[in-house]
């Protein structure tokens, strides 16, 4: 039997913990047309891609929905036109609507019909054709960033929804990237777009998975789940390494910690400012997690400490708990102590 846990980012593992309520919120809002866009945020390894993929699969199974995933590394409007034009199940719809995309190089040619020469116009015409057939389009964008392709796409998206065309948008991204995008002066509608932060997984469901797949006792399975602090990637890593060690999680821990550091923590650490790292070092060296004790240890006043604490909370590294600054990531306190200099 293959290992049911996975170390590969973005790939839906055979063993996972679903986020039932958050998924239901997004799916129902799109179906009821009460929202057109959702932004899924979370720290690296929090399961954003897998969560988005699960929602996209739900809509793929619906007859009246079309789903497309776009990359932020190339012209998103052109990619959208290309993927729709080359969808075999939609070609007849676009041909009957006399949409000629030959000029844009997408192979959809209608003799006797002038070709469309503008990508934005092409997107609008394609969506109009889908609307007439009662179909809706869900666009999924993973790891959104504030670049020209995303800005251009979101700007056009605003126009399309104002024109009451059936397009919906699901984006994932790190908090800082989503924040930059929302603060773009020409994309003000994103300020109103609901954000879904992915917090810890359900400890009980994680424990049940470990008990079932690794054949460990209830007490051991709960202990393992608690060790992960609900961090999605840690759930997979500890499960994977324990499986490779015959279910012995204590023997697997050194390997699991190494995977977490090399796959995620090194990258998270490299993206932090010197002051962020100092605050985290103080938190790591203060077992109680009490903010007053951390500030005293670092010699920082409240006005200097608080903004960084808030930023680390938004990044998903520190828990949102009044009077405390505790780590949300398993074993990250030891990583900070070992890497702060």
């Amino acid at each position: 039997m293959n290992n049911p846990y996975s170390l590969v980012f973005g790939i839906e593992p055979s063993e996972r913990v679903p986020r039932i309520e958050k998924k239901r919120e997004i799916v129902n809002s799109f179906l009821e047309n009460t929202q057109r866009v959702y932004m899924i945020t979370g720290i690296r390894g929090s399961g954003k891609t897998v969560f988005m993929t699960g929602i996209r699969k739900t809509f793929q199974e619906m007859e009246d929905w079309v789903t497309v995933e776009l990359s932020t590394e190339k012209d998103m409007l052109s990619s959208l036109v290309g993927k729709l034009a080359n969808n075999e199940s939609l070609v007849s719809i676009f041909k009957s609507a006399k949409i000629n995309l030959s000029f844009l190089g997408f192979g959809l040619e209608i003799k006797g019909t002038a070709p469309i020469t503008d990508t934005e116009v092409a997107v609008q015409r394609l969506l109009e054709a889908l609307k007439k057939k009662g179909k809706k389009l869900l666009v999924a964008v993973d790891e959104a960033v504030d670049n020209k392709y995303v800005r251009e796409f979101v700007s056009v998206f605003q126009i399309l929804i104002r024109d009451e065309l059936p397009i919906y948008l699901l984006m994932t991204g790190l908090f800082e990237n989503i924040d930059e995008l929302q603060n773009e002066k020409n994309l003000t509608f994103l300020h109103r777009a609901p954000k879904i932060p992915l917090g810890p997984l359900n400890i009980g469901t994680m424990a049940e998975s470990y008990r079932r797949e690794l054949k460990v006792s209830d007490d051991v399975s709960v202990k393992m789940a608690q060790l992960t602090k609900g961090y999605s990637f840690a759930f997979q890593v500890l499960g994977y390494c324990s499986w490779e060690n015959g279910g012995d999680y204590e023997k697997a821990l050194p390997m699991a910690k190494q995977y977490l550091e090399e796959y995620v923590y090194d990258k998270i650490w490299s993206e932090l400012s010197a002051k962020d790292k100092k605050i985290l070092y103080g938190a790591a060296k203060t077992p109680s997690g009490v903010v007053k004790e951390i500030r005293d240890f670092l010699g920082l006043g409240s006005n200097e400490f608080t903004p960084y604490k808030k930023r680390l909370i938004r990044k998903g590294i520190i828990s949102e708990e009044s009077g405390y600054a505790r780590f949300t990531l398993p074993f990250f306190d030891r990583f900070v102590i070992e890497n702060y200099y």
Side-chain angles (χ1 to χ4, degrees), residues 296-337:
D296 289 344
F297 175 81
L298 295 174
L300 298 176
S302 178
N303 291 341
E304 189 176 5
F305 181 89
T306 301
Y308 287 94
K309 180 194 173 188
K310 288 181 177 178
R311 190 165 80 167
L312 291 167
I313 288 172
R314 291 195 297 267
K315 284 177 175 287
I317 299 173
I318 294 294
S319 63
E320 190 169 2
E321 188 178 1
S322 180
Y324 291 86
R326 295 189 171 115
F327 290 92
T328 61
L329 304 175
F331 320 118
F332 197 62
D333 52 347
R334 296 305 310 169
F335 174 86
V336 169
I337 290 172

Side-chain angles (χ1 to χ4, degrees), residues 10 48-49 52 69-72 140-144 170-173:
K48 299 184 298 296
T49 302
M52 183 186 73
E69 183 167 357
L70 301 180
S71 168
T72 62
V141 179
D142 196 24
E143 294 300 339
L170 193 59
M171 305 176 74
T172 76

Side-chain angles (χ1 to χ4, degrees), residues 257-319:
K257 291 177 181 178
Q258 182 178 345
Y259 268 112
L260 286 170
E261 291 181 7
E262 293 180 356
Y263 276 66
V264 186
Y265 292 175
D266 284 338
K267 181 63 175 175
I268 291 174
W269 188 249
S270 71
E271 295 172 339
L272 297 173
S273 70
K275 199 60 171 286
D276 288 330
K277 292 177 180 178
K278 181 177 180 179
I279 299 296
L280 291 174
Y281 179 71
K285 294 290 285 184
T286 309
S288 69
V290 175
V291 166
K292 177 67 166 58
E293 294 180 17
I294 298 171
R295 288 198 289 105
D296 289 344
F297 175 81
L298 295 174
L300 298 176
S302 178
N303 291 341
E304 189 176 5
F305 181 89
T306 301
Y308 287 94
K309 180 194 173 188
K310 288 181 177 178
R311 190 165 80 167
L312 291 167
I313 288 172
R314 291 195 297 267
K315 284 177 175 287
I317 299 173
I318 294 294
S319 63

Side-chain angles (χ1 to χ4, degrees), residues 23 68 70 77 148 152 167 170 174 177 197 235 261 308:
K23 179 179 178 180
V68 170
L70 301 180
L77 288 175
K148 63 178 183 179
E152 179 186 38
I167 185 169
L170 193 59
L174 299 174
N177 293 337
F235 165 63
E261 291 181 7
Y308 287 94

Side-chain angles (χ1 to χ4, degrees), residues 234-249:
F235 165 63
Q236 295 294 332
V237 168
L238 184 57
Y240 183 94
C241 295
S242 297
W243 175 279
E244 297 298 313
N245 284 275
D248 187 341
Y249 83 93

Side-chain angles (χ1 to χ4, degrees), residues 116-135:
I116 297 171
T117 59
D118 181 83
T119 308
E120 183 178 337
V121 173
V123 172
Q124 187 166 11
R125 290 286 306 280
L126 292 169
L127 283 169
E128 288 171 351
L130 291 178
K131 183 177 181 178
K132 287 181 180 179
K133 293 295 182 179
K135 292 187 176 294

Side-chain angles (χ1 to χ4, degrees), residues 196-212:
I196 301 288
L198 294 189
L201 297 173
N202 182 277
I203 295 296
T205 307
M206 295 168 66
E208 169 59 23
S209 170
Y210 288 148
R211 186 195 64 77
R212 181 181 64 251

Side-chain angles (χ1 to χ4, degrees), residues 216-224 226:
V216 296
S217 68
D218 288 343
D219 289 344
V220 169
S221 67
V222 170
K223 175 65 174 177
M224 292 176 65
Q226 290 172 338

